[in-house]
Amino acid sequence: MHKLYLFIFLILASRAEAQAVSASVVADSLYAVGNYSEAIAEYESLDNKDTSVYLKLARAHQAKGTLDDALNYYAQAATGTDEVIAMNEYGKLLITKRKFKEADSVFTELINVYQTNPDFYYQRGRAKEMIPRNIRIDATDSTTTSAQRIIPHILDYKKAVALDSTHQKALGELAVFYLKRKEYPMVEKLAFKALESYPTNVEIISTLAQSYYYKGWNEEAITWFERLIELGQSTQFIHEKLGNSYYKDRMYEKSIEQYLEALDFSPEDDYLHATLAKLYNHVEDLEAAEMHGLLAVLYKDQSIEEEYYTLSRTYEMKKDWKNAMKYANRALEENPDHKNAEYTKVIVADNYYEDRRAVLKLYEDFIKKYSDGEYAKYDPVLRLARERRDKLNREIFMADGEEQ
């Protein structure tokens, strides 16, 4: 009898295990084709989840975009046989979620065990770079540069490059760092090191082109900006900087081509039109020069009422009534019929002025001005203005009665 029970138990256990394996296979297949929600449901249905299942759940949630759930499952996965893999992905997701201190701790823990992994240093550098810190220089420390003392993430990027001289992202971060500091020889050294192993790295090429551009080496800047365009890159920044480099080298026709390309990204940019007007003068295309010159004037002098109105609303919400009134008035100077700016002015006056009768007059003037409109009876702003006018009338009447 005992043997029979044992036999039945083994059959049931094998069936349960087969069902679990089957569910796991189905879930893996669903994940592979991007059906993340159903994959998650299958993984969740497993009775005995191990850390490998938690890792799959974390990845599925991350792919789906439910990042908080992904973080939770990564934390559970980072305790088993896939600990290193889970911690690495967990740390990267923490950076994505802007939890930089937590990411710093995760990668520091990994580095303590895996001291020769370059990407762990790079990822920790990314986290450190975004952590606010007090800058303090120790004048007694003569063994490191000031940049290293006050910018710890640079040490991590340098360590990543020391461990892997082809680490493109670390090289790129260092190149950008030195570009901001105008240390152009270091930018070029790092850029060429990166391009040795990855000649089409457009981020590196862009940094190199900018290095030459900002130090005034026009021919070199042209070479590398042209290379970006050859690689399919097209932005206003690239075309504008290449156009200016041509301009400085008096290559006016080529400069015009690039500024026209830049104009496609920003058709109402008064600076681009003004520059094109100058360039067309150089090549004696006076009709084109006139057209772009007029457009430059038009866009330079265009009304900025909306910008003023937006500022007035911003200050109104901050309850900075003085500035709110100032920018509402500026918007109305640009356009006296800017209805929203005028109503904002009335609202601000209601909060800013002590003279209730003066405020009431503003409401009455506003209502009178806009009551004859075609859709005035459906206008919610006018309805609010009338309600406030009536309430002010009652308040003033009551105040007059109390004084008598």
Side-chain angles (χ1 to χ4, degrees), residues 2 13 52 59-60 73 75 85 87 96 124 127 129 139 157 190 203 214-215 258 271 333 362 398 400-401 404:
H2 290 296
S52 66
R59 288 172 173 169
Y73 283 117
I85 296 172
M87 285 185 69
T96 299
R124 188 173 71 174
E129 186 171 2
Y157 292 147
L190 291 161
E203 288 81 11
Y214 290 124
K215 74 176 186 178
Q258 294 305 315
Y271 168 77
E333 287 171 8
L362 288 173
M398 295 295 292
D400 288 345
Q404 293 174 4

Side-chain angles (χ1 to χ4, degrees), residues 305-331 341 343-345 347-349 351-352:
E305 63 191 82
E306 287 302 321
E307 287 79 0
Y308 284 144
Y309 167 65
T310 300
L311 274 171
S312 72
R313 290 283 292 119
T314 301
Y315 285 119
E316 178 198 343
M317 288 185 284
K318 293 177 68 175
K319 302 188 185 304
D320 184 344
W321 309 119
K322 182 178 179 181
N323 277 316
M325 181 63 75
K326 180 173 78 172
Y327 285 103
N329 283 330
R330 287 191 178 180
Y343 186 62
T344 297
K345 177 178 178 178
I347 294 294
V348 172
N351 288 276
Y352 189 44

Side-chain angles (χ1 to χ4, degrees), residues 5-16:
Y5 288 149
L6 178 60
F7 178 70
I8 294 171
F9 173 78
L10 290 173
I11 290 175
L12 293 174
S14 64
R15 286 181 178 176

Side-chain angles (χ1 to χ4, degrees), residues 235-284:
T235 66
Q236 180 175 339
F237 179 86
I238 292 171
H239 292 297
E240 192 173 330
K241 293 297 181 282
L242 178 55
N244 196 30
S245 297
Y246 283 138
Y247 193 174
K248 290 176 181 177
D249 271 12
R250 300 183 181 182
M251 302 166 70
Y252 300 129
E253 295 286 1
K254 286 190 172 183
S255 182
I256 287 170
E257 291 175 6
Q258 294 305 315
Y259 276 106
L260 288 174
E261 291 281 355
L263 203 60
D264 286 341
F265 292 90
S266 185
E268 298 182 5
D269 189 317
D270 62 276
Y271 168 77
L272 295 178
H273 284 292
T275 304
L276 280 164
K278 293 177 185 177
L279 284 164
Y280 279 117
N281 276 335
H282 280 296
V283 299
E284 298 185 3

Side-chain angles (χ1 to χ4, degrees), residues 71 90-100 103-104 107 122-128 130:
L71 285 174
Y90 179 43
K92 291 177 182 178
L93 184 55
L94 285 169
I95 294 174
T96 299
K97 289 286 290 178
R98 303 188 65 81
K99 297 186 176 183
F100 304 118
D104 183 9
F107 285 110
Y122 167 71
Q123 299 297 341
R124 188 173 71 174
R126 290 178 63 208
K128 284 184 180 296
M130 301 305 296

Side-chain angles (χ1 to χ4, degrees), residues 39-97:
I40 289 167
E42 289 291 337
Y43 289 133
E44 291 282 16
S45 71
L46 296 173
D47 292 328
N48 298 314
K49 301 180 188 66
D50 58 18
T51 53
S52 66
V53 174
Y54 290 131
L55 181 56
K56 291 176 180 180
L57 276 164
R59 288 172 173 169
H61 275 291
Q62 184 169 358
K64 182 183 174 182
T66 46
L67 302 186
D68 289 334
D69 290 325
L71 285 174
N72 178 51
Y73 283 117
Y74 273 128
Q76 294 181 69
T79 58
T81 55
D82 293 321
E83 178 181 3
V84 178
I85 296 172
M87 285 185 69
N88 184 32
E89 295 179 20
Y90 179 43
K92 291 177 182 178
L93 184 55
L94 285 169
I95 294 174
T96 299
K97 289 286 290 178

Side-chain angles (χ1 to χ4, degrees), residues 113-380:
V113 180
Y114 303 94
Q115 298 179 8
T116 59
N117 186 311
D119 202 61
F120 292 165
Y121 288 97
Y122 167 71
Q123 299 297 341
R124 188 173 71 174
R126 290 178 63 208
K128 284 184 180 296
E129 186 171 2
M130 301 305 296
I131 298 174
R133 62 184 72 250
N134 295 322
I135 296 177
R136 180 171 60 87
I137 299 176
D138 183 359
T140 63
D141 184 359
S142 60
T143 61
T144 59
T145 67
S146 61
Q148 291 173 338
R149 289 197 298 272
I150 65 176
I151 309 178
H153 64 272
I154 293 302
L155 290 173
D156 277 337
Y157 292 147
K158 287 188 173 185
K159 183 66 175 179
V161 172
L163 291 167
D164 179 2
S165 63
T166 67
H167 197 294
Q168 297 291 310
K169 292 182 178 179
L171 286 165
E173 293 288 353
L174 287 170
V176 169
F177 168 75
Y178 286 111
L179 179 66
K180 291 177 179 177
R181 293 170 60 88
K182 300 182 180 180
E183 296 185 28
Y184 303 123
M186 279 298 298
V187 176
E188 290 146 28
K189 178 181 177 181
L190 291 161
F192 284 120
K193 179 184 285 189
L195 293 175
E196 286 176 5
S197 56
Y198 186 10
T200 57
N201 185 329
V202 292
E203 288 81 11
I204 290 290
I205 293 172
S206 176
T207 304
L208 181 60
Q210 291 175 64
S211 178
Y212 285 127
Y213 177 86
Y214 290 124
K215 74 176 186 178
W217 290 24
N218 294 321
E219 291 184 13
E220 289 78 3
I222 288 169
T223 296
W224 292 102
F225 279 123
E226 286 179 339
R227 179 61 175 149
L228 284 174
I229 293 173
E230 289 172 7
L231 292 170
Q233 301 301 300
S234 179
T235 66
Q236 180 175 339
F237 179 86
I238 292 171
H239 292 297
E240 192 173 330
K241 293 297 181 282
L242 178 55
N244 196 30
S245 297
Y246 283 138
Y247 193 174
K248 290 176 181 177
D249 271 12
R250 300 183 181 182
M251 302 166 70
Y252 300 129
E253 295 286 1
K254 286 190 172 183
S255 182
I256 287 170
E257 291 175 6
Q258 294 305 315
Y259 276 106
L260 288 174
E261 291 281 355
L263 203 60
D264 286 341
F265 292 90
S266 185
E268 298 182 5
D269 189 317
D270 62 276
Y271 168 77
L272 295 178
H273 284 292
T275 304
L276 280 164
K278 293 177 185 177
L279 284 164
Y280 279 117
N281 276 335
H282 280 296
V283 299
E284 298 185 3
D285 186 344
L286 300 184
E287 289 187 6
E290 179 185 15
M291 178 187 72
H292 286 287
L294 289 171
L295 287 171
V297 171
L298 171 66
Y299 294 130
K300 185 70 173 180
D301 292 340
Q302 67 183 342
S303 173
I304 53 175
E305 63 191 82
E306 287 302 321
E307 287 79 0
Y308 284 144
Y309 167 65
T310 300
L311 274 171
S312 72
R313 290 283 292 119
T314 301
Y315 285 119
E316 178 198 343
M317 288 185 284
K318 293 177 68 175
K319 302 188 185 304
D320 184 344
W321 309 119
K322 182 178 179 181
N323 277 316
M325 181 63 75
K326 180 173 78 172
Y327 285 103
N329 283 330
R330 287 191 178 180
L332 291 169
E333 287 171 8
E334 293 285 329
N335 178 10
D337 294 321
H338 194 303
K339 180 182 173 184
N340 289 333
E342 194 163 357
Y343 186 62
T344 297
K345 177 178 178 178
V346 177
I347 294 294
V348 172
D350 202 354
N351 288 276
Y352 189 44
Y353 294 162
E354 294 183 3
D355 188 341
R356 298 287 85 190
R357 293 182 186 278
V359 173
L360 176 62
K361 179 69 166 54
L362 288 173
Y363 276 106
E364 289 174 340
D365 290 344
F366 178 85
I367 293 165
K368 181 179 179 181
K369 181 175 181 178
Y370 293 104
S371 288
D372 294 331
E374 184 178 357
Y375 302 103
K377 64 180 181 179
Y378 305 110
D379 191 336

